[in-house]
Amino acid sequence: MDTPVVAASSPPRFAPRPAQARVLQFRGGRLGISAVPGSGKTQTLSQLAAQLVRDLAARPDEALNPFEAPEVLIVTFSNSAVENFRQRIASILRSEFGLLPNVGYRVRTLHALANDIVRMRPALAGLADDFQIADERAAQQVLDEALQHQLSLEPTALDYFLEATLSEPQRFMVRREKWPELARDIASVVIRRAKDLELTPTELRHRLGHLDGPRHALLRLGLAVYESYQRGLQMRNMVDFDDLIRLALLTLRLAPDFLDRLRRRWPYVLEDEAQDSSLLQEKMLRLLTNTSEQGPQGVGGGHWVRVGDPNQAINTTFTTADPEHLRQFLHEPGAVRLDLPDSGRSARPIIDLANYLVDWTYAAHPTAWLRRHAFLQQTIRPTPPDDPQPNPTESFIYLDERSHTPDSELQAVADSLRRWLPDHPDWTAAVLVPENSRGFQLAAEMKALNLPYEELLRSSAETRNVAGKLELVVRFLAQPDQRLRLTDVYRQVWWGRGREVEAELAEDAGPAEAAAPTDEAENTLRDALPAAAIPFSAGPLPLSTLSLAQSQQVQKALSRLTNVEDFLYPGPGGDWLAAFKLALEQPMVMDDLRNFRQAVQRWLEASVLPIDQLILTLGRELFTEPSELALTHKLAVVLTGVAETKAGVRLPELADELQIIARNQRRFLGFDAADNGYEPKKGIVTIATMHAAKGLEWDRVYLMALNNYSFPAAQPHDAYQSEPWFVRDDLNPQVETLALMEAIMQDDLAGYVEGEASAQARLDYAAERLRLFYVGITRARKDLIITWNIGRFGVQDSARRNQAAAAFLALHEYWRTRLKGRP
């Protein structure tokens, strides 16, 4: 078995640490690197990529033609990382090696790489040349349409799992309000798992056979939704992100000559954030590097470097990512393992606290399984003396053991920042929360105290949703006589906006709090909006209060309008709304349609404005969050540029531009701060989820809600978000459905024991939350403050009171006895 080839070469111009220097000696084979937080992995990998580009440039005889010259392929997790690598490598090539930047290497996310491969040979994947990618928003829409039909066929599918003690009113409420959301989650995990196993709906149905009886009802529903969902994508000429990886694999397997060409094109594959690889991603990279999917490297294999940190694997419970792929690679025969253990990011006490979390978990965690599986046992080391990145020397750590209520915890953190900020204008600071809802509440508290802050809470799917809504309105304004355009606006913009807000608020916040625009939001738009356009914007629109069934009746009626004008601008012949039977029988429907009509009338008046003023006007009515309004402003600037460069462009063409952005057919820089690179600002507090904070750092960090609900330890008294209160026996319906599916496919139905999958899911979730705590700690450079709360139910009911997380209590004792008072 070939082993990596080490070549003697002059050291790079940047001063590498000894561990980094060993990585930079790589010239071939397979190399696995475990890199602790703040170890400089991005700089090291960029430097290695630049060196390999230089080496390839020195061997031009290997290129068959200029269009197939060998390249170094760098694969990473996020778009912001793509730009970071691209710029770093270009700078090194130019300044250190005197080579042209942006030549000899390619940086891609895994999904973008799969897209490249499929678009080169779409026919092999069974796709048309102009296929589109369904982003999260578009895929969710197709899924919801498929789910809606299936729920009508399986109205009692959940009954088998309902808690027996529920009253009839409770059962009715669950079926109406809770079941649709749970059904969506179940269908989603079935679809994701099927695609990870490379099974089409037809193949999955064949493997599962007949699914009769109530025990199989959830799996039956998931399979049926998968079939409808995939048909919906095909009808729209779309594939989703999971399809991209699957179809890229199919393409590579069906075309050996094409695969060989890509292997010659990319002799070196450098994979960043390898702890987040899924099974399909692993298979694709093994094919490209001529490494068999079972492990050993094939004859003439490519050169593969995998860099990551299994201890920062925090996406496993809601994606198909699995850190075991990297862990196994680090010990795979023929692969060499190197570590990057030195970190200059944090002060010594913070490093000690992070290391103690790993050591305590290994030695003393109350759950034996977590002692073995939560972490890879590795130690963060401070940088050596005279290192270019010395560890900060000042540090303050405080673990607050008081049992806060949720409100008092918010007040304590905000008040601490109020006292601290004036004396530290040159420091960066962040408050990191487990879930978005807690961040929204803190933002309200910060606003009340007039403290400077910015949010890093929104997902890329939600920000793309802004462009999607604006596109639907602009497209209607371009053809205001089209009743189906009006119906789309009602369903997805008017009524749909209400549903999104309700879903957002379901975790914690109340509608009035979330709907109120912040001063920041108003000022963002008011400063950008010309005075002439302001009268068209009467403030944020009221949310639709109609139920799904009511909205569907309204949509059906609007879609049958003979003349749209009879609704929007009724004449002497009569008012369509005044004769609409449903509105006459239900006053709330009448109020909803009147509000909708008034809004559309204002939008039609505003359609004569220049495109930037029109977009800003619409944004002021549709959105309230600062991030959404900032995005609206960026879209207005983009569309102004389109209008200026394309003579005679009209609303339909501008709507097409919004559609391109909304459907992720072309990257729109600035769509999402986390997606495109976020730089903390001095003197301004960042409010972010712990997931969004990965890869970032701040001088002072607050970690909130370290209780046994957000960070369970798989103990009997812990509660879990994935186990609904209305489901019997503390079952997790999603993982039970998957376990049943795999037992049937393996012809081992007797091996399925109800509840075992739920018990394992608890362990997996607890392990991920320990790693999330580790990520949160290692975001801090100098100061770290950690708090916990008893939960919203614990305020009134002591039996439901959250406790401090087991890991928090262990670290508190370590801090109290070992770290307190240390500089």
Side-chain angles (χ1 to χ4, degrees):
M1 191 67 62
D2 292 336
T3 56
V5 180
V6 175
S9 61
S10 58
R13 293 185 183 178
F14 100 105
R17 300 167 189 145
Q20 293 171 327
R22 286 192 289 273
V23 171
L24 296 179
Q25 292 174 351
F26 170 85
R27 288 299 178 270
R30 284 179 293 150
L31 175 64
I33 303 170
S34 182
V36 303
S39 60
K41 71 175 180 64
T42 302
Q43 178 62 40
T44 304
L45 203 59
S46 299
Q47 192 77 31
L48 175 60
Q51 290 180 185
L52 295 174
V53 171
R54 177 199 59 188
D55 294 349
L56 288 176
R59 304 198 300 266
D61 53 300
E62 293 185 6
L64 300 178
N65 63 64
F67 300 102
E68 291 196 356
E71 295 177 327
V72 176
L73 175 63
I74 301 97
V75 183
T76 188
F77 187 72
S78 67
N79 288 293
S80 58
V82 167
E83 281 305 307
N84 192 1
F85 273 113
R86 187 178 287 133
Q87 293 173 14
R88 284 175 182 262
I89 297 169
S91 175
I92 297 168
L93 290 174
R94 182 175 52 248
S95 63
E96 297 190 16
F97 303 140
L99 297 174
L100 289 173
N102 304 315
V103 175
Y105 66 99
R106 180 179 304 209
V107 190
R108 289 286 188 271
T109 64
L110 279 159
H111 287 100
L113 174 63
N115 183 42
D116 289 346
I117 292 170
V118 174
R119 288 197 184 278
M120 291 180 195
R121 297 282 184 92
L124 285 176
L127 298 173
D129 291 346
D130 60 346
F131 77 87
Q132 300 175 356
I133 301 171
D135 69 356
E136 296 96 329
R137 180 189 64 83
Q140 191 69 63
Q141 180 179 335
V142 178
L143 178 65
D144 285 344
E145 291 175 1
L147 180 64
Q148 183 177 332
H149 172 69
Q150 196 58 34
L151 285 177
S152 68
L153 300 178
E154 295 268 8
T156 62
L158 186 63
D159 286 7
Y160 179 76
F161 290 93
L162 283 180
E163 173 63 52
T165 59
L166 293 180
S167 65
E168 276 307 312
Q170 285 177 317
R171 287 173 178 265
F172 177 78
M173 184 274 292
V174 166
R175 293 189 187 105
R176 184 187 63 190
E177 298 181 10
K178 303 294 185 182
W179 169 223
E181 182 178 351
L182 179 59
R184 181 187 297 115
D185 292 340
I186 291 169
S188 296
V189 297
V190 168
I191 293 170
R192 190 180 302 124
R193 183 57 178 157
K195 292 188 177 185
D196 210 38
L197 295 172
E198 302 180 68
L199 295 174
T200 66
T202 301
E203 292 167 337
L204 182 60
R205 180 167 288 282
H206 176 73
R207 295 279 298 275
L208 294 178
H210 296 291
L211 297 172
D212 298 324
R215 186 188 192 192
H216 297 142
L218 298 186
L219 181 54
R220 190 165 60 241
L221 179 136
L223 172 59
V225 172
Y226 182 24
E227 292 172 325
S228 298
Y229 170 75
Q230 210 64 15
R231 281 197 302 269
L233 289 178
Q234 291 167 358
M235 288 172 59
R236 293 166 174 82
N237 192 27
M238 284 182 170
V239 297
D240 64 16
F241 286 123
D242 292 322
D243 282 325
L244 277 178
I245 307 290
R246 179 179 62 85
L247 294 175
L249 269 171
L250 178 64
T251 301
L252 295 175
R253 289 169 180 158
L254 291 177
D257 58 331
F258 176 53
L259 175 58
D260 288 341
R261 195 181 107 204
L262 292 183
R263 286 171 174 168
R264 291 193 300 270
R265 183 72 181 271
W266 300 322
Y268 293 98
V269 177
L270 310 177
E271 180 189 3
D272 183 38
E273 302 290 1
Q275 78 277 354
D276 291 319
S277 260
S278 70
L279 176 63
L280 287 183
Q281 293 164 358
E282 168 112 343
K283 288 180 177 180
M284 183 173 70
L285 294 183
R286 285 191 180 277
L287 272 178
L288 287 173
T289 57
N290 201 10
T291 305
S292 83
E293 296 174 11
Q294 286 69 44
Q297 191 172 22
V299 177
H303 309 296
W304 189 9
V305 178
R306 309 189 73 179
V307 185
D309 182 4
N311 291 350
Q312 295 187 76
I314 57 175
N315 301 315
T316 57
T317 58
F318 54 90
T319 71
T320 55
D322 189 345
E324 284 303 311
H325 298 308
L326 176 59
R327 288 192 185 201
Q328 292 170 9
F329 184 87
L330 292 174
H331 298 94
E332 193 171 282
V336 169
R337 172 179 173 177
L338 294 175
D339 293 341
L340 294 179
D342 306 306
S343 174
R345 172 184 293 166
S346 304
R348 281 294 300 265
I350 293 173
I351 288 177
D352 291 343
L353 196 70
N355 285 335
Y356 183 75
L357 176 61
V358 175
D359 294 341
W360 169 81
T361 301
Y362 253 91
H365 196 285
T367 303
W369 188 91
L370 292 172
R371 292 198 291 269
R372 299 191 304 272
H373 295 92
F375 287 112
L376 178 70
Q377 194 163 24
Q378 61 184 14
T379 300
I380 306 173
R381 297 191 316 212
T383 53
D386 304 321
D387 190 89
Q389 186 188 12
N391 299 93
T393 55
E394 58 178 309
S395 179
F396 171 77
I397 296 179
Y398 182 70
L399 276 70
D400 187 355
E401 64 176 335
R402 294 175 295 171
S403 55
H404 289 286
T405 66
D407 287 343
S408 69
E409 184 189 31
L410 292 171
Q411 293 163 3
V413 169
D415 191 56
S416 172
L417 285 164
R418 179 184 59 80
R419 297 191 306 269
W420 178 85
L421 277 169
D423 296 329
H424 299 83
D426 295 329
W427 284 42
T428 57
V431 183
L432 306 183
V433 293
E435 292 89 23
N436 279 296
S437 60
R438 197 72 180 141
F440 298 149
Q441 294 165 348
L442 178 65
E445 191 73 23
M446 297 282 286
K447 174 182 175 293
L449 293 175
N450 199 28
L451 297 176
Y453 72 93
E454 56 186 6
E455 299 177 25
L456 193 59
L457 298 171
R458 295 290 182 183
S459 72
S460 59
E462 288 171 309
T463 51
R464 289 190 179 97
N465 195 36
V466 172
K469 282 183 167 54
L470 291 172
E471 180 244 324
L472 286 171
V473 177
V474 172
R475 200 171 293 286
F476 164 73
L477 296 179
Q479 296 178 297
D481 60 337
Q482 298 295 307
R483 64 181 187 274
L484 295 183
R485 299 280 188 212
L486 179 67
T487 306
D488 283 343
V489 171
Y490 179 85
R491 177 169 61 91
Q492 298 187 53
V493 179
W494 181 264
W495 185 84
R497 176 175 174 268
R499 303 287 79 69
E500 286 168 6
V501 172
E502 287 173 9
E504 219 172 67
L505 299 173
E507 294 178 85
D508 267 329
E513 175 183 321
T518 64
D519 290 342
E520 226 178 312
E522 287 200 23
N523 292 338
T524 299
L525 197 59
R526 192 174 298 278
D527 291 344
L529 191 60
I534 290 177
F536 289 112
S537 295
L541 296 172
L543 297 179
S544 175
T545 59
L546 302 190
S547 68
L548 174 61
Q550 288 173 316
S551 75
Q552 289 173 335
Q553 289 178 281
V554 171
Q555 294 165 36
K556 186 176 181 180
L558 291 176
S559 69
R560 293 177 175 178
L561 279 170
T562 303
N563 187 350
V564 173
E565 193 171 359
D566 291 341
F567 168 59
L568 293 178
Y569 297 100
D575 183 348
W576 175 87
L577 180 55
F580 182 32
K581 183 178 178 181
L582 182 66
L584 294 174
E585 295 173 347
Q586 301 184 32
M588 64 189 307
V589 174
M590 179 67 76
D591 291 342
D592 189 66
L593 282 171
R594 281 174 177 163
N595 288 334
F596 176 57
R597 178 164 65 183
Q598 291 169 4
V600 175
Q601 288 171 347
R602 287 196 303 273
W603 299 342
L604 285 165
E605 293 178 51
S607 64
V608 300
L609 295 171
I611 187 60
D612 57 339
Q613 296 182 29
L614 172 60
I615 293 298
L616 292 169
T617 301
L618 295 174
R620 175 65 182 83
E621 293 218 341
L622 296 175
F623 310 117
T624 58
E625 293 293 331
S627 59
E628 294 171 332
L629 292 169
L631 176 62
T632 301
H633 184 238
K634 291 177 182 178
L635 286 167
V637 172
V638 168
L639 294 182
T640 298
V642 173
E644 290 174 349
T645 56
K646 294 182 179 179
V649 68
R650 295 188 173 188
L651 286 180
E653 290 81 10
L654 295 171
D656 289 342
E657 189 70 20
L658 285 168
Q659 185 184 66
I660 287 172
I661 296 169
R663 294 187 177 182
N664 198 32
Q665 293 170 321
R666 181 171 63 247
R667 175 58 52 188
F668 171 59
L669 295 179
F671 229 120
D672 186 275
D675 198 35
N676 292 280
Y678 172 79
E679 290 296 330
K681 300 179 181 63
K682 294 179 180 179
I684 297 177
V685 180
T686 305
I687 302 174
T689 63
M690 296 179 191
H691 282 93
K694 186 175 178 295
L696 300 173
E697 60 184 65
W698 293 267
D699 295 319
R700 169 173 277 219
V701 169
Y702 294 78
L703 303 181
M704 294 183 66
L706 260 296
N707 55 43
N708 68 320
Y709 178 70
S710 294
F711 295 86
Q715 295 296 288
H717 56 271
D718 292 337
Y720 298 83
Q721 299 178 26
S722 57
E723 297 173 4
W725 59 269
F726 51 85
V727 172
R728 62 177 171 80
D729 303 325
D730 296 326
L731 293 177
N732 180 329
Q734 294 98 311
V735 300
E736 291 295 328
T737 302
L738 290 184
L740 182 61
M741 181 178 91
E742 298 197 15
I744 294 172
M745 289 193 299
Q746 295 168 9
D747 198 22
D748 185 27
L749 189 56
Y752 168 72
V753 179
E754 185 177 87
E756 286 187 353
S758 296
Q760 183 58 49
R762 288 183 166 197
L763 296 170
D764 293 336
Y765 182 72
E768 182 183 282
R769 300 309 270 195
L770 280 168
R771 295 191 292 266
L772 187 64
F773 190 15
Y774 177 84
V775 166
I777 292 170
T778 55
R779 299 312 95 196
R781 297 191 65 248
K782 302 175 183 179
D783 293 359
L784 178 66
I785 299 94
I786 309 177
T787 61
W788 70 281
N789 67 68
I790 62 174
R792 56 176 175 157
F793 298 117
V795 176
Q796 291 87 21
D797 184 357
S798 60
R800 302 177 68 184
R801 184 169 295 172
N802 293 333
Q803 302 175 21
F808 172 87
L809 293 174
L811 265 61
H812 180 272
E813 182 63 18
Y814 177 74
W815 165 74
R816 187 183 65 82
T817 59
R818 302 278 297 276
L819 295 179
K820 196 171 182 180
R822 274 182 51 181

